[in-house]
Amino acid sequence: MPLTESGERLVEVRPGGRLLVDTRKQDQADAFAHLREAVLERLLTAQTMLPANIRLLFVEGYRPPSLQREYFEKYAGRLRALNPGWSSHEIHSAASRYVSPSDIAPHSAGAAVDLTLADADGHELDLGTRMNADPEESVGACYTHAPDISEEARANRQLLGTVLTAAGLVNYPTEWWHWSFGDRYWALLTGKPAALYGPKELDLRN
């Protein structure tokens, strides 16, 4: 998909306490708590559609390109160790299904968010797997529409998906927690002529 960079800024998601923010992915520069403005606006819209006793729990948004490369190479190395007979192309293709290469990664564009649901006290609801469980660890239960999860987890995934879809985000189907707006995958699924956001460096001076 082509890219027509909008130039929209990255903004902090924490001011005002409008979203619950988990710190498990916090980095030294606090980059994780940033998103493009329009992505944050859509999350806040989705939040208003949830029952009063349930909230979105934000875990990770923006990811610097250098960190994205580190994640990709680490997972590719794991696949290489598990599958010594695979070619470099096979490793890259399989790794790309779970971790985006840095040049197209929606997290590095500030276009994607990893999130889940929590109760009013901030306790995570059951969505079937831990967040960021890969296909090997979860035996495929990380896929959004995996059949082998509990009815409670399936209902919670449906609730999460309903409000985020209504707010204009799209899900990457191998990760129930990963939603985006304005990236290349969003453009492909929604029939837009181009993505709005490409990889971006965070300027903390602004």
Side-chain angles (χ1 to χ4, degrees):
M1 291 297 299
L3 167 66
T4 303
E5 173 60 56
S6 72
E8 189 176 297
R9 64 187 182 130
L10 289 161
V11 294
E12 254 265 27
V13 305
R14 289 176 294 195
R18 295 172 294 177
L19 292 176
L20 287 178
V21 177
D22 187 286
T23 58
R24 75 188 76 172
K25 287 287 188 175
Q26 187 170 19
D27 56 290
Q28 190 172 7
D30 268 356
F32 86 108
H34 290 75
L35 286 173
R36 299 284 187 141
E37 286 181 289
V39 184
L40 176 56
E41 289 170 5
R42 282 161 175 77
L43 289 187
L44 296 175
T45 297
Q47 175 69 68
T48 67
M49 301 178 200
L50 288 170
N53 61 335
I54 297 178
R55 298 189 64 185
L56 296 176
L57 179 63
F58 176 101
V59 175
E60 186 179 21
Y62 175 72
R63 189 182 296 157
S66 59
L67 183 57
Q68 184 69 28
R69 283 191 295 273
E70 180 183 324
Y71 283 175
F72 184 86
E73 290 164 6
K74 182 177 180 180
Y75 185 55
R78 181 180 173 195
L79 290 177
R80 195 173 293 111
L82 290 171
N83 304 280
W86 284 10
S87 67
S88 296
H89 175 75
E90 288 172 316
I91 294 293
H92 189 275
S93 178
S96 297
R97 287 196 290 269
Y98 181 66
V99 182
S100 295
S102 59
D103 57 335
I104 62 170
H107 278 289
S108 295
V113 57
D114 292 343
L115 77 173
T116 187
L117 295 174
D119 64 20
D121 296 320
H123 301 125
E124 288 184 50
L125 303 187
D126 177 15
L127 276 90
T129 72
R130 71 174 185 88
M131 187 175 291
N132 293 316
D134 61 44
E136 291 74 32
E137 173 193 330
S138 68
V139 196
C142 61
Y143 298 153
T144 304
H145 300 293
D148 298 326
I149 59 174
S150 70
E151 288 302 317
E152 179 183 4
R154 185 172 292 106
N156 287 334
R157 287 190 189 187
Q158 184 174 1
L159 176 60
L160 181 68
T162 296
V163 300
L164 292 173
T165 299
L169 286 87
V170 299
N171 172 244
Y172 191 61
T174 64
E175 302 175 353
W176 59 260
W177 57 85
H178 178 102
W179 292 79
S180 66
F181 171 83
D183 62 314
R184 286 183 167 93
Y185 189 67
W186 166 85
L188 177 66
L189 288 190
T190 58
K192 299 296 188 295
L196 305 176
Y197 312 131
K200 185 178 178 67
E201 295 294 341
L202 177 63
D203 186 354
L204 294 174
R205 297 170 299 177
N206 293 335

